[in-house]
Amino acid sequence: MRGLLFLLLLGLLGLVHALSSSGNRLLVVIEEATERERYSKFWGDLEARGYKISFESPKNEKLALFRHGERSYDHLILFPPRSKGLGPSLTASVLLQFINNQGNILLTLSATSPTPSAISSLLLELDIHLPPDRTSVVVDHFNYDTISAGESHDVLLLSRHGTSRPDVKNYFGGSGTVAFPRAVGQVLGNESPFLAPVLKAPSTAYSYNPKDEVETVEEPFATGQQMALVSTMQARNSARFTVLGSMEALEDKWFDGKMKRLGNEKETTTVNRDFAKHLSAWTFMEIGVLNVGRVDHHLSSTTAEKAGNDSIAQLGYLNPKIYRVKNDVTFSVELSEYYYDHLRPLVVPESDALQLEFTMLSPFHRLPLHPVSQTTNSTIFSTSFTLPDQHGIFTFRVNYKRPFLTNVDEKRSVTVRHFAHDEWPRSWRISGGWVWIAGIWVTVVGWLAFVAVWLWSEPAFERAKGKKVQ
């Protein structure tokens, strides 16, 4: 009986590890049921990763993202409808509420389906701008598939370069070419720190309305790398929102389809399937999720006999509530990264830095945290420093916020007191006070010498001779 229970627990643990870090309830909003078959490979990949997929039409009056004030689903995939709107259950305010409740959304667009007003309003709230013409498409006369778009040039062929910043982890890069049929370009606002592009349009691409029967486009909505074809937004609560500019990129025929570049006679296979896996995994919090383990701080001392982290010895107990000014303190934090179905040690890029702030209103110290040890699932970062000569309420803070990673903002408050009356160094230990101490003793010795000389220098009195005269 115990063996059966043990096997059952192991099976449950294996099932849990196969799911996303934020749940496995996935809702797909797609208008026509017949369109599901065009994305069967995408659904199969999601189900293989442990998701429970529910399909609903935006016309369904019983559709609701919340029930009794709680989310009914953990993740949401929106396909553009054939009709003008998504219905009362999927308004911009409802979708924002879903994000505020830590729900994740994968939004797909297509130039063949006009973007509903609810989606346009939602994207404007997030500072993501779409072309004013709802049927605009991105074309490129130099980077297109000559097999399927020999005349329209609206099937773009993109390389997976990933992020261009060296201090950001690249979850979407790789080899191969991604095919983007009939994509809708997006322009991201410059002031929002929550937005990040994943794939940008080539420098020779531009957006235009195919209904305009003109040979040249004088004022396009955006050109070149001003446009993002895939963009992401991660909110303050680490909820994720992804805009995929091409719904057709998820179709079965493009998951392993054949394509040929201009000027290249050799046909190659697209890598849309692998790209869709990484994009959906990031959106649904299977990758790029940071986990904070132990957070410790304590008094420490440094010994010259050992080197590195071994030279630091702990004094007292862990995580005291009060310190004294000018104490030597060591702080350490344990961080790991959730990667698909397991935790792995966090590796900070060489061009980036994980920092500790010791702050009271403003930071008194901002120090780099260095990796000192590593376990199977986590990395321990640590640093040692001397507390400032200022008493008050201070905070140990690790504030690590990077694109494509969940936010880490750990705080530990402590009290820093001044010296007690019996903790001040004696006057003779302060070399700067030796002059004043010498002056005091010179004065005392001089006074005693003066008194002694004065007492021993009393004049002698002689008795008067003769009789007293009255």
Side-chain angles (χ1 to χ4, degrees):
M1 185 65 180
R2 292 182 179 179
L4 181 61
L5 291 175
F6 180 72
L7 292 176
L8 180 61
L9 288 175
L10 285 180
L12 291 175
L13 287 175
L15 179 62
V16 170
H17 284 300
L19 305 180
S20 165
S21 62
S22 59
N24 67 328
R25 298 174 300 174
L26 173 60
L27 172 64
V28 178
V29 178
I30 188 168
E31 187 170 10
E32 300 295 337
T34 56
E35 294 185 2
R36 301 181 195 173
E37 300 177 358
R38 295 161 53 186
Y39 310 96
S40 59
K41 294 182 180 179
F42 184 53
W43 312 138
D45 292 344
L46 291 174
E47 290 176 347
R49 301 204 315 257
Y51 290 98
K52 296 180 180 179
I53 304 178
S54 301
F55 295 93
E56 294 289 348
S57 171
K59 299 178 182 179
N60 187 0
E61 297 179 355
K62 297 182 179 180
L63 174 62
L65 299 182
F66 296 91
R67 181 173 297 177
H68 306 300
E70 298 292 333
R71 285 187 290 108
S72 301
Y73 304 95
D74 302 309
H75 317 287
L76 175 64
I77 299 180
L78 292 175
F79 281 82
R82 301 293 180 182
S83 56
K84 295 183 179 180
L86 290 173
S89 300
L90 297 173
T91 61
S93 59
V94 173
L95 295 176
L96 283 176
Q97 183 183 0
F98 186 76
I99 295 175
N100 291 333
N101 283 268
Q102 296 185 335
N104 307 305
I105 299 178
L106 173 59
L107 171 65
T108 63
L109 303 175
S110 176
T112 58
S113 300
T115 305
S117 58
I119 297 301
S120 300
S121 301
L122 172 65
L123 295 179
L124 285 177
E125 291 282 347
L126 304 178
D127 204 11
I128 302 176
H129 304 271
L130 296 180
D133 299 326
R134 296 188 177 185
T135 57
S136 293
V137 63
V138 179
V139 297
D140 190 340
H141 304 301
F142 299 93
N143 300 283
Y144 65 92
D145 181 23
T146 58
I147 299 177
S148 59
E151 296 181 359
S152 58
H153 301 177
D154 57 358
V155 179
L156 276 61
L157 301 181
L158 306 175
S159 300
R160 299 171 58 187
H161 296 301
T163 177
S164 59
R165 289 177 50 177
D167 59 334
V168 174
K169 286 195 171 185
N170 189 358
Y171 292 104
F172 312 102
S175 59
T177 302
V178 181
F180 260 65
R182 292 165 287 283
V184 178
Q186 312 117 45
V187 175
L188 308 183
N190 296 325
E191 298 181 358
S192 177
F194 309 108
L195 298 175
V198 174
L199 278 183
K200 291 185 178 181
S203 58
T204 53
Y206 62 93
S207 176
Y208 88 110
N209 188 355
K211 294 183 179 181
D212 297 336
E213 297 180 358
V214 293
E215 295 182 357
T216 60
V217 180
E218 296 181 356
E219 295 182 358
F221 167 70
T223 60
Q225 296 195 349
Q226 295 175 344
M227 293 183 297
L229 300 180
V230 181
S231 55
T232 62
M233 190 281 299
Q234 184 169 259
R236 296 182 187 274
N237 61 358
S238 296
R240 293 173 172 178
F241 180 84
T242 301
V243 181
L244 177 63
S246 174
M247 170 186 67
E248 291 85 351
L250 301 178
E251 293 181 357
D252 294 347
K253 67 177 181 178
W254 291 111
F255 265 30
D256 53 1
K258 298 295 181 180
M259 57 86 181
K260 186 168 63 173
R261 287 184 177 272
L262 178 65
N264 190 354
E265 298 181 357
K266 182 179 180 181
E267 294 184 2
T268 56
T269 305
T270 62
V271 293
N272 286 35
R273 187 169 197 164
D274 187 62
F275 179 76
K277 174 186 176 182
H278 287 80
L279 188 66
S280 60
W282 182 88
T283 306
F284 302 148
M285 303 189 76
E286 294 181 65
I287 56 178
V289 180
L290 299 185
N291 180 61
V292 181
R294 295 187 56 180
V295 180
D296 296 325
H297 54 87
H298 57 81
L299 290 171
S300 61
S301 64
T302 304
T303 58
E305 298 177 356
K306 299 181 180 180
N309 190 58
D310 296 334
S311 63
I312 300 174
Q314 177 182 340
L315 301 178
Y317 52 91
L318 284 174
N319 305 324
K321 296 296 183 182
I322 188 168
Y323 288 102
R324 193 205 68 199
V325 296
K326 295 185 176 181
N327 272 151
D328 292 329
V329 175
T330 296
F331 177 89
S332 60
V333 59
E334 182 182 14
L335 292 174
S336 56
E337 178 186 1
Y338 188 81
Y339 190 76
Y340 288 103
D341 59 351
H342 65 281
L343 291 173
R344 68 179 185 181
L346 173 64
V347 178
V348 178
E350 295 182 359
S351 55
D352 194 12
L354 179 67
Q355 293 180 327
L356 167 70
E357 294 181 356
F358 191 69
T359 177
M360 182 175 64
L361 297 181
S362 59
F364 276 66
H365 288 296
R366 184 177 284 119
L367 306 168
L369 287 165
H370 303 286
V372 295
S373 62
Q374 194 174 90
T375 65
T376 305
N377 301 322
S378 63
T379 304
I380 298 177
F381 299 85
S382 180
T383 188
S384 299
F385 64 100
T386 301
L387 298 182
D389 191 7
Q390 173 70 43
H391 64 277
I393 306 299
F394 284 82
T395 301
F396 294 100
R397 185 183 184 188
V398 178
N399 186 17
Y400 189 70
K401 297 176 181 178
R402 299 294 185 271
F404 310 125
L405 291 175
T406 54
N407 300 327
V408 173
D409 193 0
E410 288 293 320
K411 299 178 181 179
R412 299 293 186 272
S413 296
V414 294
T415 301
V416 178
R417 62 174 178 85
H418 53 67
F419 281 96
H421 70 282
D422 58 347
E423 291 179 329
W424 294 97
R426 299 303 179 182
S427 56
W428 60 81
R429 295 180 180 272
I430 304 174
S431 59
W434 290 352
V435 176
W436 311 103
I437 296 173
I440 293 174
W441 284 108
V442 167
T443 303
V444 171
V445 172
W447 170 251
L448 293 177
F450 170 76
V451 171
V453 172
W454 187 80
L455 291 176
W456 287 99
S457 300
E458 180 183 3
F461 295 95
E462 295 181 358
R463 295 182 179 180
K465 296 182 181 179
K467 296 181 179 180
K468 184 178 180 180
V469 179
Q470 296 183 349

